Each structure stands twice: as C-alpha cells, then as structure tokens.
Amino acid sequence: IRTDILAHAGFDPATEQGVFTISVSDIGELEFAPGLVERLRARAPHASVRTVIHDPKTLAEAMDAGEVDLAIGYFPDLSTAVFKQQVLFHHGSVCIVRRDHPALGAGIDLDQYFAAEHVAVAQESRLHDLTELALIPLLPRCRRIVLTLSHFVNVAFLVARSDLVGVIPRPLALRQAQIYPLAVHETPFDIPPMEIKQVWHRRFDSSPRVVWLRNLIAEMSQNKPSL
C-alpha cells in the first residue's frame, strides 16, 4: 500500500510532510545536501530529507522495497535492468598535496608521482577504482600506498598534514582547498571522468513525489561541473 498506492496518490510539495530518502556517497552529501535543503525549504517546507549509504546489492534491494526514493552518484557496479537513470554531470579527478610540500608545490610529473608516497581510497561498495584502472597501462610502475582510507572526504585533511599525495574528485578538491592548505594539480596520467547519475526504480517512474524530486535534483545539478 505504501509503495504502490500511496506513492501514486496526489502529491503537493507545499503540504508534503513526508521524508525523501536518498542514497548518496560521502561526497554526495557534501555536494548535494546544501542545495537540496535550500530548495526543499522554499518549495516543500514541511518535508525532510534523509541520506543513506548502500553498497550496490543493498541499494538495489532497498529501492525495490521502496525504502529509497532516489540514488545519486557514480554507479559502475549497479545493474540497471530494473532501474531508470539520468546523467547529471561528469567530473574528473585531480592530485592534491599540501600547499607547502617540499617537492610538489608547482605540479606533479609522472616520475614525481611514482616517487611520492600516497593515500588511497578503497570503498567496499565499489568493485573498481578509477585511479587503479588508469594506472594499469603504466605497469610495472605502481604507486607506493602508505595509507588506505574508506572515504574520500577524509583524504584532504590527512594530505594537508603530511607529504602524502591523494587523488580525489575535482569538485571535492576545489571545495576542500578553500578549507585546508592544499595545492590542486592535474594528474600526470589520464583518469576517465566519473559519470554522476540519479537512479530510480522503474516501478516508481511515474510516482508524483519521485518525479518531483528527480526534477528538483536535475534542476540544481544537471550539466554542471560541480554544485
């Protein structure tokens, strides 16, 4: 009843008092939450948003059960057989180092990159890391990883307090360079851009509340390099 009948009932954002549940990554919370809350307060002042983090398997199950209205992010491992999707924007990756790094303040070439020590990110929810895939053609050269984290948002804080090199999405790097003493450099090798999408279950493709939420997300983010 909740997912198949009430979800298709009349929807008025001005009087909506429910909760929109969105699955995003740690980066997604930083990129989307501020703008989403601002727009929600103006157009659906009685509604609220809840963000959750799922791996591809549990995300598919949660969306099938109607527990997640929308997923936003980079989903290379999510089967889309029962989902619909919309590309919002693409963004690339960059290197970050501390601003007063003794060797890498002016940029990073390939030799410097492999000579440095690195902090990497390994997320259980993702089978393939774009940086690792981009480094395969350069084997047997490989980076020396001295620290592996589970979240991108913590990389900048640790890089700013060490001589480590990190590779993170460009929007996150530019945002955190305003907070931490960081230098942002282009990577000395090509990394394919991330395709950021919003994904929803096709069962709720015509649900008025989900359609409204999708349109709101697209309005604030589609075809923009960052939020």
Side-chain angles (χ1 to χ4, degrees):
I1 291 175
R2 177 172 60 84
T3 60
D4 292 335
I5 298 178
L6 295 181
H8 289 80
F11 171 76
D12 181 3
T15 59
E16 172 68 21
Q17 299 183 28
V19 179
F20 294 102
T21 301
I22 302 176
S23 177
V24 292
S25 65
D26 53 333
I27 301 176
E29 287 183 330
L30 290 178
E31 290 190 346
F32 286 93
L36 183 56
V37 168
E38 179 183 353
R39 287 164 174 80
L40 204 66
R41 295 278 54 79
R43 305 181 193 183
H46 307 293
S48 60
V49 174
R50 175 175 177 256
T51 64
V52 294
I53 296 178
H54 284 281
D55 61 39
K57 182 176 185 298
T58 61
L59 175 59
E61 294 170 351
M63 295 181 74
D64 184 64
E67 298 170 355
V68 171
D69 296 306
L70 199 64
I72 305 173
Y74 173 63
F75 302 108
D77 310 313
L78 180 64
S79 171
T80 59
V82 296
F83 300 110
K84 291 198 170 185
Q85 58 187 356
Q86 179 184 33
V87 176
L88 297 175
F89 56 87
H90 298 77
H91 64 61
S93 300
V94 292
C95 291
I96 58 171
V97 298
R98 66 182 174 95
R99 195 173 297 155
D100 56 350
H101 193 289
L104 304 175
I108 304 176
D109 62 29
L110 204 55
D111 290 334
Q112 290 172 320
Y113 182 85
F114 286 115
E117 295 183 329
H118 296 261
V119 52
V121 176
Q123 297 176 310
E124 292 184 4
S125 61
R126 185 169 298 163
L127 298 179
H128 304 291
D129 176 76
L130 284 176
T131 303
E132 289 298 328
L133 290 175
L135 288 171
I136 290 176
L138 300 176
L139 290 173
R141 302 183 78 178
C142 59
R143 57 181 174 169
R144 180 168 181 259
I145 299 172
V146 300
L147 177 63
T148 302
L149 302 177
S150 57
H151 299 289
F152 279 103
V153 293
N154 297 323
V155 174
F157 174 76
L158 291 160
V159 167
R161 297 168 59 90
S162 68
D163 287 339
L164 298 177
V165 174
V167 175
I168 64 176
R170 184 185 299 273
L172 179 64
L174 297 178
R175 188 182 297 262
Q176 294 197 322
Q178 300 174 0
I179 302 172
Y180 302 111
L182 297 173
V184 179
H185 302 305
E186 298 298 327
T187 59
F189 52 93
D190 292 331
I191 300 179
M194 288 186 180
E195 191 173 60
I196 305 302
K197 304 175 180 179
Q198 58 175 342
V199 180
W200 61 95
H201 199 288
R202 64 182 180 183
R203 185 195 306 161
F204 305 108
D205 186 47
S206 59
S207 166
R209 68 190 303 275
V210 176
V211 170
W212 182 85
L213 180 62
R214 295 200 314 260
N215 290 338
L216 189 68
I217 295 296
E219 174 192 308
M220 63 181 279
S221 62
Q222 193 171 28
N223 298 322
K224 297 179 181 178
S226 60
L227 303 181

